[in-house]
């Protein structure tokens, strides 16, 4: 299907089972593959990005078995046999699509452990910067060659030289995945390391996810306010026997926003206040602008009182960059100008999300101002109907703009299959809670 037409609709009360978190799924897969034991992972996200990681691990010689899936679970259950910190295959060609959560950590792990590896992806992946990570890895003795433009994939990784430093630095203002990659890779050296972050570290909650998972795999990292990170020598990965992946908090944002926009109670299952994902903070932002929130055990429910309007907002979204995209659509329901700031990371995601969001919102009649790291949105008196929304091969663009249909405006979503990256069943799930008006 090249285009999906969504009719104007509203929501009825609904309960949604979330797919597994992409961030947790790909980190857990890699850590389990590097562990010194066998583990089982349940509720693993089944999507393009996790399939790229799974296929890469298999190519590298990791033994993976698929376990039975419960009928109520749309994810994967697998058994993975850890390779004790060293992949069996010392030479491989790895195609990783546009999966940053696979490409960046695998780059670091393969560069640190050494071998001959060629890492590449789709054209957009080759436009996403990786130079800051490569520079940090070269400090450890890693031999990495750019096979295209300097600072960008594709990469050729060679055997590592002797490591001659225990102190490295990495820039923090482009992508938190660079630091995550180093934190996952450096324990494999069996040496102590100090990592200094230069500049402001964006998306700190994603680093918190990494640190939480490292601890579950028995590797401890000390840090000073997310600026200096210290790893002790002699650590190695040991996996829990069973690991359960949380529901994806970023994917939850579309359904939670639907509860605010429609006023009907929408419940998402698989996350709660105890979630290790920073995007759960999106709920607090919705509450500030009019949402009624019900926190439960393994669920969050959002609705809105009939007399409560959706309020305009001005948000620093540095800690919730993915979920903040959803607020760009919520802004259209606020009847006033809204501001989303500190989102420079949008520029280097699956597409330039600031530019893409601005272009598509303008098609709908909104007035949009963009800077290098912010976007301001003024809704029109009436949205334009039946507009074709370009999705730029970006799953979050498609899912965000589905919410336009809840504003009484029919809309076309071009290339809806791009949601396969993280949520293949998204549009079926979205339709299940909608009633045409």
């Amino acid at each position: 299907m090249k285009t999906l037409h969504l009719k104007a609709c509203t929501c009825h009360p609904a309960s949604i089972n979330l797919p597994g978190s992409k961030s947790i799924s790909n980190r857990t897969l890699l850590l389990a593959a590097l562990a010194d034991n066998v583990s089982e992972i349940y509720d693993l996200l089944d999507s393009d990005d996790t399939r790229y990681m799974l296929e890469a691990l298999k190519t590298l010689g990791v033994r993976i078995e698929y376990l039975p899936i419960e009928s109520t679970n749309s994810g994967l259950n697998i058994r993975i046999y850890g390779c004790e910190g060293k992949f069996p295959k010392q030479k491989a060609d790895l195609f990783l699509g546009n999966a940053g959560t696979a490409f960046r950590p695998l780059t670091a792990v393969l560069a640190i452990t050494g071998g001959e590896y060629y890492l590449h992806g789709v054209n957009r992946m080759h436009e996403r910067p990786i130079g800051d990570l490569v520079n940090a890895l070269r400090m450890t003795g890693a031999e990495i060659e750019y096979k295209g433009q300097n600072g960008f994939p594709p990469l050729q990784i060679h055997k590592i030289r002797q490591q001659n430093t225990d102190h490295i630095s990495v820039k923090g203002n482009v992508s938190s995945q660079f630091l995550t990659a180093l934190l996952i890779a450096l324990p494999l050296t069996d040496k102590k390391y100090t990592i200094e972050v230069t500049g402001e570290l964006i998306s700190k909650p994603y680093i918190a996810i990494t640190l939480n998972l490292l601890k579950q795999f028995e590797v401890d990292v000390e840090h000073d306010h997310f600026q200096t990170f210290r790893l002790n020598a002699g650590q190695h990965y040991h996996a829990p026997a069973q690991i359960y992946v949380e529901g994806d908090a970023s994917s939850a944002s579309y359904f939670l926003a639907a509860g605010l926009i429609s006023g009907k109670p929408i419940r998402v299952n698989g996350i709660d206040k105890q979630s290790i994902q920073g995007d759960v903070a999106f709920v607090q932002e919705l509450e500030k602008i009019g949402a009624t929130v019900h926190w439960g055990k393994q669920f969050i429910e959002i609705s809105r009182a009939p007399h409560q309007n959706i309020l305009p907002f001005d948000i620093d979204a540095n800690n919730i960059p993915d979920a903040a995209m959803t607020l760009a659509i919520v802004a259209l329901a606020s009847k006033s100008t809204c501001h989303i700031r500190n989102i420079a990371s949008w520029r280097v995601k699956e597409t330039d999300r600031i530019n893409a969001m601005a272009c598509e919102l303008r098609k709908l009649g909104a007035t949009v101002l963009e800077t290098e790291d912010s976007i301001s949105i003024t809704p029109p008196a009436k949205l334009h109907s039946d507009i074709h929304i370009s999705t730029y091969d970006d799953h979050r663009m498609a899912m965000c703009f589905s919410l336009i249909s809840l504003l009484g405006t029919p809309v076309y979503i071009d290339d809806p299959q791009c949601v396969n990256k993280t949520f293949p069943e998204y549009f079926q799930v979205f339709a299940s809670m909608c009633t045409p008006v």
Side-chain angles (χ1 to χ4, degrees):
M1 184 190 304
K2 293 184 177 180
T3 297
L4 175 66
H5 186 232
L6 298 177
K7 297 179 180 179
C9 60
T10 188
C11 292
H12 52 74
S15 180
I16 305 296
N17 293 324
L18 293 172
S21 161
K22 178 185 72 170
S23 298
I24 296 175
S25 290
N26 268 352
R27 285 168 173 79
T28 300
L29 279 172
L30 184 54
L31 292 171
L34 295 168
D36 62 2
N37 62 323
V38 180
S39 59
E40 294 179 351
I41 306 173
Y42 294 90
D43 302 335
L44 185 76
L45 174 64
D46 184 10
S47 73
D48 285 352
D49 276 19
T50 50
R51 291 189 197 108
Y52 285 125
M53 177 66 90
L54 282 165
E55 288 306 311
L57 294 176
K58 292 175 189 174
T59 300
L60 292 165
V62 178
R63 181 181 169 192
I64 295 171
E65 297 173 352
Y66 290 85
L67 304 174
I69 299 174
E70 298 293 333
S71 59
T72 57
N73 178 11
S74 61
L76 297 173
N77 300 330
I78 68 166
R79 181 180 296 118
I80 189 163
Y81 293 78
C83 60
E84 300 183 48
K86 190 78 170 178
F87 291 121
K89 300 289 180 65
Q90 294 296 291
K91 184 176 182 179
D93 182 317
L94 303 176
F95 178 78
L96 298 165
N98 199 12
T101 55
F103 202 108
R104 277 74 177 269
L106 277 170
T107 294
V109 168
L110 295 173
I112 288 292
T113 56
E116 294 292 328
Y117 303 105
Y118 179 61
L119 278 67
H120 56 120
V122 299
N123 288 339
R124 176 57 184 171
M125 178 56 77
H126 297 169
E127 298 170 350
R128 299 175 69 177
I130 200 167
D132 293 334
L133 174 58
V134 169
N135 291 342
L137 289 167
R138 284 173 172 170
M139 295 179 200
T140 73
E143 291 277 6
I144 305 172
E145 177 187 358
Y146 295 116
K147 301 303 289 185
Q149 182 181 355
N150 279 349
F152 297 84
L155 304 175
Q156 179 68 50
I157 294 172
H158 302 288
K159 292 182 179 179
I160 192 166
R161 293 180 283 108
Q162 183 176 356
Q163 299 169 9
N164 52 15
T165 182
D166 62 1
H167 195 116
I168 63 177
S169 62
V170 64
K171 291 182 180 179
N173 63 348
V174 175
S175 173
S176 65
Q177 289 178 4
F178 300 160
L179 177 57
T180 279
L182 293 169
L183 290 170
I184 290 173
L186 290 175
L188 302 173
T189 65
D190 203 33
K191 299 180 179 181
K192 71 173 184 178
Y193 267 97
T194 298
I195 307 171
E196 293 282 353
V197 177
T198 59
E200 181 184 10
L201 176 62
I202 62 173
S203 306
K204 291 184 181 71
Y206 286 99
I207 299 303
I209 291 175
T210 302
L211 295 176
N212 187 296
L213 291 174
L214 290 177
K215 189 167 186 178
Q216 289 183 41
F217 282 80
E218 301 187 8
V219 167
D220 288 318
V221 181
E222 299 175 353
H223 70 90
D224 298 328
H225 307 292
F226 291 90
Q227 285 300 127
T228 303
F229 296 78
R230 287 177 290 275
L231 295 84
N232 291 326
Q235 300 194 79
H236 62 276
Y237 291 120
H238 184 79
Q242 295 183 325
I243 307 158
Y244 290 86
V245 176
E246 289 182 6
D248 192 275
S250 301
S251 295
S253 70
Y254 315 112
F255 304 106
L256 296 174
L260 172 67
I261 292 169
S262 70
K264 301 296 193 299
I266 304 295
R267 176 175 295 192
V268 294
N269 301 306
I271 55 171
D272 55 24
K273 274 189 175 178
Q274 307 308 314
S275 171
I276 67 173
Q277 298 170 76
D279 272 351
V280 169
F282 177 78
V283 175
Q284 297 164 353
E285 300 304 325
L286 294 186
E287 191 169 29
K288 291 176 187 175
I289 61 175
T292 300
V293 180
H294 179 197
W295 297 91
K297 184 173 176 57
Q298 282 295 292
F299 75 84
I300 306 168
E301 186 175 284
I302 294 283
S303 59
R304 177 168 55 89
H307 63 278
Q308 176 64 58
N309 292 326
I310 296 174
L311 305 175
F313 55 84
D314 185 336
I315 178 178
D316 181 333
N318 182 49
N319 287 335
I320 56 167
D322 287 345
M325 287 185 70
T326 311
L327 287 173
I329 306 302
V330 174
L332 298 177
S334 71
K335 302 189 185 332
S336 189
T337 301
C338 297
H339 309 278
I340 306 174
R341 296 177 287 104
N342 210 356
I343 51 170
S345 63
W346 282 22
R347 297 278 187 195
V348 294
K349 295 287 189 173
E350 282 79 349
T351 188
D352 179 341
R353 287 175 169 169
I354 292 180
N355 179 259
M357 185 64 73
C359 287
E360 303 314 304
L361 289 172
R362 288 177 184 133
K363 288 182 185 178
L364 290 160
T367 300
V368 184
L369 297 177
E370 58 174 293
T371 71
E372 189 57 33
D373 66 350
S374 71
I375 189 168
S376 298
I377 303 157
T378 304
K382 183 176 175 57
L383 293 170
H384 300 164
S385 296
D386 288 317
I387 296 299
H388 278 260
I389 299 297
S390 299
T391 52
Y392 305 82
D393 197 25
D394 186 339
H395 57 135
R396 300 212 181 280
M397 288 292 291
M399 292 187 278
C400 282
F401 278 89
S402 68
L403 298 174
I404 295 298
S405 63
L406 298 179
L407 298 173
T409 304
V411 65
Y412 288 92
I413 306 294
D414 291 345
D415 188 27
Q417 292 93 336
C418 64
V419 300
N420 291 345
K421 180 177 175 67
T422 52
F423 199 161
E425 306 300 318
Y426 175 76
F427 285 108
Q428 293 93 314
V429 176
F430 181 78
S432 73
M433 68 177 188
C434 293
T435 303
V437 295

